[in-house]
């Protein structure tokens, strides 16, 4: 079910929140068996900074994605939520 819903966001900037400290932000290129492929992606481990996932996502929404990967494959087994970056509310 998650895979089918995720496919509707192909070509859009999205956020993949995981069940770990990692968060992924980038343009959804495709959804393969068991994984999502993001291009021009920011793979960020929030344990490396004092910034929470929510604040980090907000900063990406307001200042843009700081891509550190040309592409990244993210296992859907660890994705707990996803949304479009443009859907993050400004506060």
């Amino acid at each position: 079910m998650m895979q089918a819903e995720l496919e509707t966001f192909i070509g859009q900037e999205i956020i993949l929140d995981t069940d770990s400290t990692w968060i992924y932000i980038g343009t959804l290129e495709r959804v393969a068996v068991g994984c999502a492929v993001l291009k021009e992606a920011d793979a960020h481990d929030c344990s490396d900074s004092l910034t929470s996932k929510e604040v980090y996502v907000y900063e990406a929404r307001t200042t843009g994605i700081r891509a550190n990967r040309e592409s990244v494959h993210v296992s859907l087994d660890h994705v707990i939520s996803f949304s479009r970056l443009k859907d993050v509310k400004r506060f």
Side-chain angles (χ1 to χ4, degrees):
M1 174 91 133
M2 178 183 281
Q3 195 162 329
E5 291 293 322
L6 190 56
E7 287 177 342
T8 65
F9 291 160
I10 290 175
Q12 298 181 59
E13 292 179 334
I14 65 165
I15 304 146
L16 297 177
D17 191 9
T18 68
D19 57 7
S20 72
T21 57
W22 284 86
I23 193 160
Y24 300 88
I25 307 170
T27 302
L28 182 61
E29 184 173 38
R30 63 188 166 91
V31 180
V33 176
C35 75
V37 181
L38 301 179
K39 64 181 180 179
E40 293 303 312
D42 179 1
H44 180 75
D45 182 358
C46 288
S47 70
D48 287 343
S49 69
L50 298 175
T51 305
S52 69
K53 285 183 179 182
E54 200 60 37
V55 170
Y56 194 82
V57 166
Y58 177 77
E59 289 174 356
R61 169 72 165 98
T62 58
T63 63
I65 298 171
R66 293 178 287 212
N68 55 26
R69 307 282 194 283
E70 281 188 38
S71 69
V72 64
H73 292 69
V74 181
S75 171
L76 293 179
D77 289 339
H78 299 285
V79 173
I80 57 172
S81 70
F82 59 89
S83 62
R84 295 180 301 182
L85 185 59
K86 71 180 186 177
D87 289 337
V88 173
K89 297 230 181 220
R90 295 178 188 259
F91 54 89

